[in-house]
Amino acid sequence: MSIFEYNGSAVMAMVGKNCFAIASDRRLGVQLQTIATDFQRVFKIHDKLYVGLSGLATDAQTLYQKLVFRHKLYQLREERDMKPETFASLVSALLYEKRFGPYFCQPVIAGLGDDNEPFICTMDCLGAKELAKDFVVSGTASESLYGACESMYKPNMEPDELFETVSQALMSSVDRDCLSGWGGYVLIITPTEVREHVVKGRMD
């Protein structure tokens, strides 16, 4: 078994019209044994920037703390929040720095940039970025997430429709992966508000 599959995870981000959604499952397991059903994988960097960390849970928490530290230093020095593109480069550099003993995480970065243009990207544990205009996925359920997102995505969705699409894609995908699931956590971010939803799913 790969170290990335040790805890199980499913993280995705999708773009709408001047908004984006980022979602994850809530299961923390040790291989096939479930340890917790309210585990957080999506973290806030600032009001318009979020990061989801799939992979090894302990590395995800360590990496999040390092990213918050770096972002606070940036805020002190620059007196402004980081743009999503800049943050993606920061995460990439941080991961590549540790390439000989990497953090076993695959981050999904989603944010609103200038003119509230949504930005999403994902990367591997060495920081190789993969940019997308529609959706990005990572985690043990990534194969089924790709299929569900590919069939459900449409451009320029409004926040309500985006929430429905992301929730359906996430729930149908984690049902096909025994290492992730136990409900979902979906965030819809628009220029004016942040909506948090906990989605109930199969508890097995």
Side-chain angles (χ1 to χ4, degrees):
M1 176 181 265
S2 158
I3 190 72
F4 291 99
E5 295 170 9
Y6 186 68
N7 297 122
S9 52
V11 182
M12 63 177 288
M14 194 179 277
V15 164
K17 188 178 182 183
N18 289 340
C19 62
F20 69 87
I22 184 164
S24 76
D25 71 321
R26 307 187 77 208
R27 179 184 183 271
L28 170 68
V30 170
Q31 296 180 12
L32 297 177
Q33 182 185 7
T34 301
I35 303 296
T37 59
D38 58 355
F39 191 69
Q40 190 180 1
R41 284 202 179 81
V42 176
F43 304 100
K44 177 180 174 178
I45 303 299
H46 63 73
D47 288 342
K48 293 184 178 180
L49 180 61
Y50 286 77
V51 61
L53 299 169
S54 72
L56 193 65
T58 48
D59 278 6
Q61 290 174 330
T62 305
L63 188 56
Y64 168 63
Q65 288 168 351
K66 282 186 176 291
L67 293 174
V68 167
F69 169 68
R70 294 281 186 100
H71 184 256
K72 283 181 175 170
L73 280 182
Y74 182 92
Q75 280 177 319
L76 283 169
R77 200 180 302 120
E78 302 282 333
E79 297 182 355
R80 63 194 166 102
D81 287 332
M82 209 180 263
K83 289 179 185 172
E85 294 85 352
T86 316
F87 184 72
S89 299
L90 165 76
V91 178
S92 181
L94 191 80
L95 290 171
Y96 191 68
E97 205 175 277
K98 293 271 191 286
R99 64 192 176 279
F100 298 117
Y103 293 114
F104 296 112
C105 285
Q106 293 166 324
V108 167
I109 295 157
L112 290 176
D114 296 336
D115 304 324
N116 294 317
E117 191 65 37
F119 169 88
I120 54 169
C121 97
T122 184
M123 53 192 78
D124 65 5
C125 66
L126 301 183
K129 281 190 280 190
E130 182 190 332
L131 303 170
K133 293 273 182 246
D134 43 12
F135 57 84
V136 289
V137 303
S138 82
T140 53
S142 60
E143 286 182 14
S144 46
L145 276 167
Y146 267 122
C149 292
E150 202 73 68
S151 59
M152 293 178 184
Y153 174 79
K154 328 189 279 218
N156 296 322
M157 283 187 281
E158 294 296 334
D160 291 334
E161 192 183 0
L162 183 63
F163 166 67
E164 198 63 42
T165 305
V166 166
S167 304
Q168 293 288 351
L170 183 71
M171 287 297 100
S172 62
S173 300
V174 297
D175 281 351
R176 288 167 178 77
D177 174 42
C178 58
L179 295 176
S180 58
W182 285 81
Y185 177 66
V186 182
L187 281 160
I188 306 290
I189 290 85
T190 67
T192 53
E193 63 176 352
V194 175
R195 291 192 222 161
E196 287 186 38
H197 303 271
V198 174
V199 183
K200 286 186 178 177
R202 283 179 57 156
M203 297 298 187
D204 60 356

